[in-house]
Amino acid sequence: MKETPRTEQAPRHKLIEYANGPSLEEINGTVEVPHGKGFWRTLFAYSGPGALVAVGYMDPGNWSTSITGGQNFQYLLMSVILMSSLIAMLLQYMAAKLGIVTQMDLAQAIRARTSKTLGIVLWIMTELAIMATDIAEVIGAAIALYLLFHIPLVIAVFITVFDVLLLLLLTRIGFRKIEAIVVCLILVILFVFVYQVALSRPDWSAVLYGLVPSAKTFATSPSVGGMTPLNGALGIIGATVMPHNLYLHSAISQTRKIDHNDEEDVATAVRFSAWDSNIQLTCAFFVNSLLLIMGVAVFKTGAVKDPSFFGLFQALSDTSTLSNGILISVAKSGVLSVLFAVALLASGQNSTITGTLTGQVIMEGFIHMKMPLWARRLVTRLISVIPVLICVAMTSRQSEVQQHEALNTLMNNSQVFLAFALPFSMLPLLLMTDNATEMGDRFKNVLWVKIFGWISVIGLTFLNMLNLPDAFADFVSPSLATQAHIVAYIAIVLIIALLAWTIIDMYRADKEFNMSLADQRATELEEDQRRRANKEEK
């Protein structure tokens, strides 16, 4: 009897699978780059990852802090945006370099040097930070849909869940096209704010003067609308430098196809990735600067009583709040407010793409688990939607202004989780890129990068911890402010203890690695001497 040949079946994939391969394996090393070509052609090939990173520096969480800072303190906080952008450039350069040289993303590199328990703790903390960022995206996108199409907020919140369908489409068209779409959305945002600021005719000499930091920048007085310059500065810093961008950049910097056995090829990749990152982050700096300039020049001083997205949208169509005749005549057509809502929607969609990729990076890196991108997005978005829906439901019987303020407060307060997660990405990144064993003598941080890196890490960690008591107090009523401060100080102690645990684990791992490397070299030396002795005997 003849045996019927069996048809080979494709392997079945589970929803959650084990993963311990290259970072973002589906796109790792998939983008071809030219060799021995001109500067501009090579730069074009490496351009793209920087745009995905820059999105995090101009997401909806940045908008309110920058515009309100401009309304309250004119151009005083311009220097804070500049400093935040320069620190971001330094940190993102180190993140990209780590990914390219070690062929591991930041999450994988940390997990390889820490215990399983600590890896799980750091994963949970980073997931919370990503979900906190997602809350800002939900609020921004839902409000944009409400403002543009008059969709009720609750329904608009649920519609944001379906951006998972957009993600499904994008995963099928190739990573290079995703980069192009992100760049186009960034250009939309940039165009909107350039147009609005150009109509407002700002005082450019005052803008340039504001770029120079002074003692007033971080002063605790005066207080305008409950905000001091220090509060405004901390808000801008907290909304600008975010931990998930470091994880993302260390992963997507590996999408270019390079020969890791050729040191010159690796050096070229590091150099052009730095160019790409710095160009895109310069664009993010201009967007954030334009937002602050909007607060000063587009609106009359103190005219915006409601700093939420609703209030800003209404202020852009209210001729009594605008600063000059040209703006007033354009505002009558409704163009200013509609453009603002379009930019808000573009910002939210950009953050959808980058947030999902980052979530996959940290899940694979810290706990070696993998989910399809659409499933991952659906889970995190549904979790992020819950606090927004609760906020909308709790304020449904209050006045419209109170509802707007509640959503704005939720968005701002959700960013407090970033203060927890940021040191645990910055410090390991700096330690590993300072290490010649990890990076090699050629690629370890040079002296000036090391100095400014430590200043940035210590400074940002200190400022985030400084802002934590007030951030906790914002969650509760004024009568419970003292208790909130006590909880915040306990949280700070726990963060410091966890940082110490991370440093100790990484130090032990380095020590063990160096010992094994020394043993390996000793073994190789013994074998070499034995071979020589055998040759001499013969």
Side-chain angles (χ1 to χ4, degrees):
M1 189 174 173
K2 224 174 185 181
E3 189 176 341
T4 308
R6 294 181 182 177
T7 55
E8 197 171 311
Q9 292 183 346
R12 292 180 66 186
H13 293 285
K14 298 176 182 177
L15 187 64
I16 299 178
E17 296 180 306
Y18 178 77
N20 195 20
S23 181
L24 295 176
E25 193 167 3
E26 296 86 352
I27 58 175
N28 193 293
T30 57
V31 180
E32 295 281 351
V33 290
H35 295 84
K37 302 298 180 182
F39 174 84
W40 294 109
R41 185 174 172 184
T42 308
L43 177 60
F44 178 76
Y46 278 97
S47 296
L52 271 74
V53 169
V55 164
Y57 293 93
M58 56 179 95
D59 72 347
N62 294 63
W63 293 31
S64 178
T65 52
S66 295
I67 293 175
T68 307
Q71 269 281 288
N72 292 344
F73 306 110
Q74 300 294 294
Y75 300 108
L76 181 65
L77 301 181
M78 282 290 296
S79 59
V80 178
I81 296 176
L82 177 61
M83 287 187 288
S84 297
S85 299
L86 293 174
I87 291 170
M89 289 177 185
L90 184 65
L91 292 172
Q92 297 299 160
Y93 160 71
M94 289 191 284
K97 183 171 69 170
L98 177 74
I100 293 167
V101 175
T102 67
Q103 299 180 67
M104 288 193 292
D105 61 56
L106 181 57
Q108 290 173 329
I110 294 172
R111 178 65 187 87
R113 289 153 188 80
T114 54
S115 63
K116 184 178 180 180
T117 305
L118 181 57
I120 292 171
V121 171
L122 294 179
W123 170 65
I124 292 170
M125 188 179 296
T126 313
E127 284 284 8
L128 288 172
I130 290 174
M131 288 176 189
T133 307
D134 208 31
I135 287 173
E137 294 163 20
V138 169
I139 292 172
I143 291 174
L145 291 170
Y146 169 80
L147 296 174
L148 287 170
F149 308 110
H150 306 292
I151 299 170
L153 265 180
V154 173
I155 297 173
V157 168
F158 277 111
I159 288 174
T160 66
V161 174
F162 291 100
D163 64 14
V164 70
L165 300 175
L166 171 67
L167 198 67
L168 267 175
L169 174 65
L170 291 177
T171 54
R172 297 177 183 275
I173 65 173
F175 191 70
R176 197 71 172 135
K177 293 184 179 68
I178 292 176
E179 292 173 344
I181 290 168
V182 169
V183 169
C184 290
L185 291 172
I186 289 173
L187 291 175
V188 168
I189 298 167
L190 185 62
F191 165 76
V192 169
F193 294 131
V194 166
Y195 175 70
Q196 295 192 350
V197 167
L199 293 178
S200 69
R201 297 177 180 176
D203 182 351
W204 291 111
S205 60
V207 171
L208 292 174
Y209 183 75
L211 292 171
V212 181
S214 66
K216 293 179 181 178
T217 307
F218 295 97
T220 54
S221 63
S223 178
V224 181
M227 177 189 283
T228 65
L230 177 63
N231 295 145
L234 292 175
I236 289 171
I237 291 168
T240 304
V241 184
M242 295 186 180
H244 62 274
N245 283 321
L246 303 178
Y247 293 103
L248 178 65
H249 205 180
S250 63
I252 59 177
S253 63
Q254 299 178 56
T255 55
R256 270 49 187 174
K257 192 174 183 179
I258 62 173
D259 181 4
H260 286 277
N261 295 317
D262 183 351
E263 196 175 82
E264 288 303 320
D265 208 20
V266 174
T268 299
V270 170
R271 183 162 68 96
F272 280 99
S273 292
W275 270 102
D276 169 47
S277 174
N278 290 339
I279 289 169
Q280 303 293 352
L281 288 173
T282 300
C283 181
F285 161 72
F286 281 118
V287 168
N288 287 321
S289 298
L290 290 168
L291 283 164
L292 189 139
I293 293 168
M294 268 186 70
V296 180
V298 172
F299 308 108
K300 294 176 183 175
T301 303
V304 181
K305 304 299 181 187
D306 179 1
S308 70
F309 295 136
F310 297 97
L312 293 170
F313 180 86
Q314 289 166 1
L316 284 168
S317 56
D318 183 355
T319 56
S320 66
T321 63
L322 300 174
S323 62
N324 66 51
I326 297 174
L327 283 168
I328 289 169
S329 61
V330 176
K332 287 177 180 176
S333 66
V335 169
L336 293 181
S337 54
V338 168
L339 284 176
F340 176 82
V342 168
L344 184 58
L345 189 59
S347 178
Q349 291 312 303
N350 255 347
S351 300
T352 289
I353 299 166
T354 57
T356 306
L357 289 172
T358 308
Q360 194 66 47
V361 168
I362 66 161
M363 180 180 274
E364 290 183 24
F366 279 127
I367 60 172
H368 298 160
M369 302 301 289
K370 182 179 181 180
M371 291 175 69
L373 286 179
W374 65 267
R376 157 133 203 125
R377 186 59 187 173
L378 199 59
V379 171
T380 53
R381 179 48 63 94
L382 285 171
I383 293 172
S384 302
V385 156
I386 292 169
V388 181
L389 289 175
I390 291 172
C391 182
V392 172
M394 288 177 65
T395 58
S396 59
R397 295 184 180 181
Q398 296 178 2
S399 68
E400 198 173 81
V401 173
Q402 286 175 315
Q403 290 177 32
H404 299 170
E405 286 177 353
L407 278 173
N408 204 51
T409 302
L410 173 63
M411 184 178 68
N412 292 335
N413 288 346
S414 67
Q415 307 301 298
V416 73
F417 289 107
L418 302 178
F420 285 96
L422 188 57
F424 298 95
S425 56
M426 291 192 302
L427 186 60
L429 174 65
L430 187 56
L431 289 172
M432 286 186 284
T433 52
D434 277 350
N435 193 330
T437 307
E438 302 283 353
M439 306 295 293
D441 290 326
R442 180 169 183 177
F443 297 110
K444 72 174 184 178
N445 293 335
V446 296
L447 183 61
W448 73 266
V449 172
K450 186 180 292 190
I451 291 170
F452 284 107
W454 278 107
I455 291 171
S456 301
V457 169
I458 294 169
L460 282 176
T461 302
F462 172 75
L463 288 173
N464 272 309
M465 296 305 103
L466 184 67
N467 192 45
L468 213 53
D470 287 339
F472 271 51
D474 285 341
F475 278 101
V476 297
S477 62
S479 60
L480 297 174
T482 304
Q483 291 90 326
H485 284 176
I486 293 170
V487 173
Y489 293 129
I490 293 171
I492 290 170
V493 171
L494 290 174
I495 289 171
I496 293 169
L498 199 54
L499 274 174
W501 183 7
T502 305
I503 293 168
I504 291 167
D505 263 19
M506 293 188 69
Y507 173 75
R508 284 175 180 167
D510 273 346
K511 194 174 179 180
E512 288 172 7
F513 181 75
N514 287 328
M515 286 174 64
S516 66
L517 199 62
D519 290 341
Q520 184 183 343
R521 285 172 180 167
T523 304
E524 288 172 354
L525 186 62
E526 285 176 10
E527 288 178 356
D528 189 47
Q529 288 173 344
R530 196 180 299 115
R531 280 194 297 268
R532 287 179 182 177
N534 290 337
K535 280 182 181 179
E536 288 173 3
E537 285 176 7
K538 289 178 181 179

